[in-house]
Structure formats: C-alpha cells, structure tokens
Amino acid sequence: MNEEIKFYRNAKKTRNLLLYAGAISALLAIMLLYGIGTFDGVFKIKLSIVSGAILLIMLVLTFKVLAGIKDKSPLIQIDSNGFSGRTTPVAKAFGRIEWQDVTDLQLTKVGGDTLVAITIDNKAKYEGHVSKFLWKMAYDEQNSKLNIMYSASEIEINAEELFNLFLRYWKK
C-alpha cells in the first residue's frame, strides 16, 4: 500500500453542484426583487438585506468554483505517510497531514453532504498553517483536538468509499 492515490474533479458531480447553486441563486434573486418592491411596490427591508447578502455569497462561491474548474490537479491525495485535500476550505488551508497525528475518523452528515471528519491530536504542529478564522472552525476547545472534514461531492467516489479508503490507510 505504498502507492499514492489521487482523486480528481468529477465533471458530472461538479456540473450538478453548479446547477443546484444556480437554482438557489435564481430563487434568491427573485426574493431580492420581491423584497425591493418590484412586484408589489412595497419595500421589505429585512427580506432585501438577507436575500441580497446570501445571493452575494452564493455568487462569489459559484464564480470561485467556475474559476477553479480548469484546474487539473488532484483534489485529494492519500499515501502511506499522510494525506492532503482541497475539497473544503479548512482542509485546503491545513495542507498535508500525517497519519501519526490522526486520532479518529468518522462519517458526518452536514446539510445535504456526507463528510469524512478527521480528528487530529498534534495541534502545535499545525497551528501556524491557517488563519485565526479557519483555526476557530477546526479547533475543538473541549477536547483540544482539530477536526478537519473532507467532502466527496466533487470527486469520483462517494463519501463511504472515501471513508473506507482513509480508514484502510490510517490502520496501516
């Protein structure tokens, strides 16, 4: 098991994600138009602000995915010494993680996606790798461990297969 495994972007899954994001953005745009009074002439400030802010975030994320769609580098790399991934912002920021630092692996359902959650014990080794914002997202203060999640939503395999692959390499 010394070979390196690389997972690349699955064009079909990425296209489906972009279609869902486009549909949600269209609904948010309609809500924004309704909120500013385009249909009934009544300005609804809370609806306008909320739908406008969420629409802006969705559009920025969608354009980031569109800009990175030409990137042919692997989204997840796994070998006998460690792994790295770019499927979530926190995983991308942390970079390469060694198997010796991993204490637990789990499948976690977040929203409509199932993620592989990896718990890391050696926080001092990874502390300088990320911004304070991403550190707060990954660091669990109760048990002093880092939780980093990897998504299979854009790669060739599903979350359960990715979890089993991580588990096999970790156990070795």
Side-chain angles (χ1 to χ4, degrees):
M1 209 184 295
N2 287 334
E3 79 275 357
E4 182 176 41
I5 297 176
K6 297 179 180 182
F7 293 106
Y8 295 91
R9 185 178 310 278
N10 183 329
K12 184 179 178 182
K13 284 185 173 182
T14 303
R15 184 176 52 248
N16 286 341
L17 284 172
L18 288 171
L19 286 174
Y20 290 135
I24 291 170
S25 295
L27 287 173
L28 288 167
I30 291 170
M31 288 174 54
L32 178 64
L33 290 173
Y34 177 72
I36 61 174
T38 304
F39 303 122
D40 61 359
V42 178
F43 182 68
K44 296 153 193 78
I45 192 161
K46 288 181 182 179
L47 180 63
S48 300
I49 291 171
V50 170
S51 61
I54 296 172
L55 177 63
L56 184 64
I57 292 168
M58 286 293 295
L59 291 176
V60 167
L61 293 174
T62 302
F63 286 125
K64 279 182 82 172
V65 169
L66 284 172
I69 209 159
K70 296 285 186 197
D71 185 11
K72 299 297 182 194
S73 61
L75 293 178
I76 295 178
Q77 295 178 338
I78 304 171
D79 62 32
S80 59
N81 297 323
F83 56 94
S84 64
R86 299 182 303 123
T87 59
T88 62
V90 174
K92 183 178 181 180
F94 271 89
R96 185 159 177 80
I97 297 170
E98 296 179 9
W99 289 115
Q100 63 192 10
D101 300 328
V102 175
T103 60
D104 190 29
L105 290 170
Q106 294 179 359
L107 271 178
T108 305
K109 186 90 169 160
V110 177
D113 197 7
T114 303
L115 304 172
V116 177
I118 299 175
T119 305
I120 300 169
D121 194 21
N122 193 353
K123 77 171 190 149
K125 183 176 185 179
Y126 300 99
E127 196 163 6
H129 290 198
V130 297
S131 67
K132 287 183 181 180
F133 175 72
L134 291 175
W135 180 263
K136 286 181 181 178
M137 286 178 64
Y139 186 62
D140 182 9
E141 291 182 18
Q142 290 180 348
N143 60 13
S144 298
K145 297 186 189 259
L146 294 168
N147 295 312
I148 300 174
M149 299 192 186
Y150 293 85
S151 174
S153 62
E154 292 184 83
I155 60 175
E156 297 103 3
I157 64 173
N158 64 32
E160 290 81 18
E161 292 171 0
L162 182 63
F163 172 74
N164 290 332
L165 189 63
F166 270 110
L167 196 60
R168 220 174 40 230
Y169 270 86
W170 180 46
K171 295 286 182 181
K172 183 189 169 262

